[in-house]
Amino acid sequence: MKIVIAGGSGFVGQHVSRLLIHSGHEVMLLSRQSSENISLNNIHARHIQWDGCSQGAWTRECEGADVVINLSGAPIADKRWTAKRKRELIDSRVVSTRALGEAIRRWETKPHTFLTASGIGYYGAQGATKVDETFPPGDGFLADLCVKWENAAQQIETADLRVLQVRFGMVLGLDGGALPKMIFPFQWFLGGPILPGTQFVSWIHQQDLAQLILFLISHPSIVSHPSIQGPVNAVAPNPVTMQDFCQALGKAMNRPSWFPVPEFVLETALGELASMLTTGQRVEPQQALQNGFSFAYPTLSAALDEIFSNHSTRKD
Ligand SMILES: NC(=O)c1ccc[n+]([C@@H]2O[C@H](COP(=O)([O-])OP(=O)(O)OC[C@H]3O[C@@H](n4cnc5c(N)ncnc54)[C@H](OP(=O)(O)O)[C@@H]3O)[C@@H](O)[C@H]2O)c1
């Protein structure tokens, strides 16, 4: 298949691109960066430049794609959520989705699937309640962002074009996402849970996420009889509390998990963004499991052991 990935230069996009190419697909990476500036770490994909918001030469180059994937978005946790930053976080997702939708509408040959990233922040703070794809959106900025993002993708759906909103949990890998930031204090024997510690962390190993995306866009039983459409939770089947997450992280790194981070410290440092860390969701991958997807890393210890097995942060 020909697959376009917007925002494919990032952490998730690079893993997905590698797997898709390895599986025999042709990948076109849509990026705002020029071919001189983009760093693709030996990914043999075709690079196409766009601006993330308007139509241009890229639309003709991408026409004929079987699948379009959108992973674009300004980083959620890099800056405090000021009003201006919130606007950037929303626009970088919604406007890029609309631009892709507009291009697809003009194409004579349409893709069969449009897949957008979303996040489990959709569900808001849910305490220990188990949530699956049927749960309504929660409250707060992230939930509002995910609703707008998913709705923009939904507008692209037609009778022949399936839309999937894949709600990522915390994606675990050492080359991007939250984990590299979390391990820093552990490396200095200063690691510990973010309080209250009882909030749930729903996570997924980067390889399982890439495999799940491949499964959703290419598994014959799904593509020919699309049993899956709409939201799909991309989380491992065993979410854990923050307390247990940090204990498992310490164990995988051979470091203690002794120093809890009080909520007020994070709130002072990060403002509203702290709520993303001090609250959580206990998310179940119901759609993936019901449709026969098998996780290579269903437990946190298996995932962390794989991640740290060849990494120098693990000291004996
Ligand atoms: N990683 C996670 O744990 C996680 C969890 C939940 C949801 N997600 C979502 O999944 C998507 C992919 O995640 P990721 O970790 O791969 O993110 P990432 O590494 O930050 O990559 C996202 C890509 O989006 C593009 N981008 C950045 N700023 C942008 C802007 N202002 N406007 C338009 N495009 C912009 C960039 O591509 P170019 O510079 O090449 O255009 C970048 O490579 C993101 O939307 C993220 O919010 C990730």
Side-chain angles (χ1 to χ4, degrees):
M1 290 192 295
K2 270 186 165 181
I3 301 165
V4 170
I5 310 183
S9 63
F11 165 49
V12 173
Q14 293 205 11
H15 284 282
V16 172
S17 301
R18 256 193 217 101
L19 177 66
L20 294 179
I21 292 166
H22 184 73
S23 308
H25 301 292
E26 183 186 335
V27 171
M28 292 178 271
L29 288 182
L30 259 188
S31 170
R32 297 162 309 144
Q33 299 164 55
S34 65
S35 42
E36 297 79 52
N37 291 336
I38 196 164
S39 151
L40 290 179
N41 298 323
N42 288 325
I43 295 172
H44 301 293
R46 199 166 129 217
H47 165 260
I48 299 170
Q49 197 170 4
W50 75 328
D51 63 1
C53 59
S54 55
Q55 306 300 299
W58 65 271
T59 59
R60 276 187 305 285
E61 293 189 67
C62 295
E63 184 162 7
D66 301 284
V67 175
V68 175
I69 297 175
N70 191 16
L71 302 174
S72 305
I76 293 280
D78 275 21
K79 294 181 188 168
R80 284 174 84 100
W81 291 346
T82 59
K84 182 168 172 270
R85 184 61 178 166
K86 284 182 176 176
R87 194 71 262 155
E88 283 167 2
L89 294 173
I90 294 172
D91 285 351
S92 57
R93 290 165 172 82
V94 172
V95 174
S96 61
T97 303
R98 286 196 193 129
L100 291 166
E102 183 54 35
I104 291 171
R105 259 187 291 283
R106 295 177 189 193
W107 292 346
E108 273 179 34
T109 318
K110 312 271 190 215
H112 59 72
T113 302
F114 181 87
L115 184 153
T116 180
S118 178
I120 58 170
Y122 176 91
Y123 301 111
Q126 288 296 340
T129 308
K130 292 182 179 176
V131 302
D132 62 29
E133 288 89 348
T134 60
F135 255 65
D139 296 323
F141 170 67
L142 272 190
D144 187 43
L145 165 68
C146 291
V147 168
K148 291 190 166 90
W149 196 3
E150 293 192 9
N151 286 347
Q154 200 54 46
Q155 304 295 315
I156 301 170
E157 192 178 67
T158 63
D160 300 323
L161 197 169
R162 180 176 62 125
V163 169
L164 292 163
Q165 293 103 342
V166 183
R167 296 176 182 157
F168 299 179
M170 184 199 287
V171 186
L172 299 185
L174 287 176
D175 46 350
L179 194 61
K181 294 177 183 131
M182 290 184 80
I183 66 176
F184 181 73
F186 281 87
Q187 287 171 313
W188 295 95
F189 293 85
L190 292 170
I194 293 164
L195 293 179
T198 49
Q199 69 275 38
F200 270 82
V201 180
S202 296
W203 56 274
I204 185 167
H205 190 292
Q206 65 195 14
Q207 289 175 23
D208 274 336
L209 176 59
Q211 290 287 356
L212 177 60
I213 289 175
L214 174 64
F215 178 82
L216 291 170
I217 63 173
S218 67
H219 195 276
S221 67
I222 292 175
V223 175
S224 54
H225 307 285
S227 52
I228 305 190
Q229 37 196 320
V232 178
N233 290 335
V235 292
N238 295 294
V240 295
T241 62
M242 177 64 81
Q243 175 92 29
D244 289 346
F245 186 95
C246 289
Q247 218 129 47
L249 183 56
K251 191 159 175 250
M253 294 176 66
N254 210 6
R255 292 284 190 273
S257 176
W258 282 339
F259 295 96
V261 184
E263 283 167 270
F264 78 88
V265 172
L266 276 186
E267 275 156 17
T268 309
L270 304 175
E272 193 183 344
L273 166 56
S275 64
M276 203 176 123
L277 305 166
T278 57
T279 65
Q281 307 82 12
R282 187 180 193 177
V283 181
E284 298 186 318
Q286 197 180 85
Q287 281 278 32
L289 293 176
Q290 275 178 358
N291 285 278
F293 180 75
S294 165
F295 288 85
Y297 303 100
T299 63
L300 184 61
S301 56
L304 292 176
D305 277 352
E306 192 286 328
I307 287 168
F308 287 105
S309 57
N310 293 315
H311 196 263
S312 57
T313 47
R314 181 180 181 144
K315 298 274 182 340
D316 296 313

